Amino acid sequence: MARREKGGFWVGLAAVLFYPLTHIGRRVYVGAEKIPRQGPALLVMNHISHFDPAVDAVFVHRQKRVPRFLFKESLTRAPILGPIVSGSGQIPVSRGSAAAGDSLKAAHQALEEGKIVVIYPEGTITKDPDGWPKESFTGAARLALQNDVPVIPVARWGTSQIFNGYTKKFTPFPRKTITHSVGDPIDLSAYRGGNTRSATKLREVTKVMMDEVTRLLAEIRHEEPPATKPEDPA
């Protein structure tokens, strides 16, 4: 049996706070055994609610791993949460600044050190009223192509029914089901040769990854996704 990855004081404190919070919803994990119990991996996920990081962190932690999320740098200045995200080794993203590239460097380093990195390629919660993934940024593709690690798609559904980030509506009751579905590692071998920084290639890889996340999400929802994605990223 694999041992739990050690996280230290701040990860322990995050667990104390987040585990009770996530009991708001019923948990359903599909394919969780596909999360590597040791070694590096890049988890690519959809983003539907500001509640996602808490439940996703607990999901990964229940697989005996410590997740490293890319998150908005402004959260480091938030009371209570700021010291936790900084102390637990999370990766701040300073969008629109000269330091923006540093976040990917830190993510590269985390993967090189054998960590699990969790990324939401959409960058923020989807604006699609039905909760389907929107067009995504290429940062996840850069990480996937420049690191020979498993790239694992994960879809999650149910959090936006608890907390809607745009209406700010919090609806804990009746109790909702939050489902995580993990797919097989994505084979990107056809894209790893040549120029891994090509804009065309990065967009193609982003589409491959998010199409797989969308497929998993469609299975959870028992619905067909729309033919086109909303809102191109800036």
Side-chain angles (χ1 to χ4, degrees), residues 23-26 161-163 169-176:
H23 284 301
I24 290 174
R26 293 182 291 268
Q161 283 72 48
I162 297 173
F163 180 68
K169 187 175 181 180
F170 179 58
T171 314
F173 303 106
R175 199 171 182 220
K176 314 299 191 299

Side-chain angles (χ1 to χ4, degrees), residues 91-110:
I91 303 168
V93 178
S94 302
R95 290 183 193 150
S97 73
D102 292 343
S103 61
L104 285 184
K105 291 179 182 177
H108 285 302
Q109 182 177 349

Side-chain angles (χ1 to χ4, degrees), residues 59-144:
F59 166 68
V60 176
H61 195 255
R62 286 184 177 276
Q63 314 316 312
K64 301 185 178 181
R65 299 303 304 270
V66 176
R68 269 70 179 182
F69 287 83
L70 280 79
F71 69 96
K72 292 181 180 179
E73 185 273 338
S74 59
L75 288 179
T76 61
R77 298 186 292 277
I80 302 177
L81 187 59
I84 292 176
V85 296
S86 297
S88 61
Q90 307 310 306
I91 303 168
V93 178
S94 302
R95 290 183 193 150
S97 73
D102 292 343
S103 61
L104 285 184
K105 291 179 182 177
H108 285 302
Q109 182 177 349
L111 291 171
E112 289 173 359
E113 293 174 353
K115 310 300 184 184
I116 279 190
V117 172
V118 180
I119 188 167
Y120 304 128
E122 297 165 90
T124 186
I125 60 175
T126 181
K127 289 183 172 64
D128 177 46
D130 293 322
W132 294 102
K134 66 182 182 67
E135 289 289 342
S136 299
F137 296 92
T138 59
R142 293 177 186 272
L143 288 173

Side-chain angles (χ1 to χ4, degrees), residues 34-221:
K34 297 175 184 177
I35 303 294
R37 296 309 190 259
Q38 57 184 2
L42 180 65
L43 304 191
V44 180
M45 304 188 70
N46 63 315
H47 199 6
I48 55 176
S49 169
H50 297 302
F51 193 40
D52 292 344
V55 299
D56 295 343
V58 169
F59 166 68
V60 176
H61 195 255
R62 286 184 177 276
Q63 314 316 312
K64 301 185 178 181
R65 299 303 304 270
V66 176
R68 269 70 179 182
F69 287 83
L70 280 79
F71 69 96
K72 292 181 180 179
E73 185 273 338
S74 59
L75 288 179
T76 61
R77 298 186 292 277
I80 302 177
L81 187 59
I84 292 176
V85 296
S86 297
S88 61
Q90 307 310 306
I91 303 168
V93 178
S94 302
R95 290 183 193 150
S97 73
D102 292 343
S103 61
L104 285 184
K105 291 179 182 177
H108 285 302
Q109 182 177 349
L111 291 171
E112 289 173 359
E113 293 174 353
K115 310 300 184 184
I116 279 190
V117 172
V118 180
I119 188 167
Y120 304 128
E122 297 165 90
T124 186
I125 60 175
T126 181
K127 289 183 172 64
D128 177 46
D130 293 322
W132 294 102
K134 66 182 182 67
E135 289 289 342
S136 299
F137 296 92
T138 59
R142 293 177 186 272
L143 288 173
L145 291 181
Q146 295 174 28
N147 295 274
D148 189 12
V149 304
V151 178
I152 301 174
V154 184
R156 171 242 315 99
W157 186 244
T159 49
S160 59
Q161 283 72 48
I162 297 173
F163 180 68
N164 186 305
Y166 290 104
T167 65
K168 308 301 181 185
K169 187 175 181 180
F170 179 58
T171 314
F173 303 106
R175 199 171 182 220
K176 314 299 191 299
T177 296
I178 301 173
T179 302
H180 286 79
S181 180
V182 184
D184 294 323
I186 300 172
D187 182 6
L188 297 176
S189 57
Y191 300 94
R192 293 193 181 279
N195 181 11
T196 58
R197 298 178 184 272
S198 161
T200 300
K201 181 180 289 187
L202 290 172
R203 286 193 295 270
E204 289 177 359
V205 170
T206 300
K207 183 179 186 303
V208 168
M209 294 190 299
M210 291 308 295
D211 281 354
E212 185 61 15
V213 172
T214 302
R215 184 188 68 79
L216 293 169
L217 181 59
E219 288 182 352
I220 295 173
R221 297 175 57 171

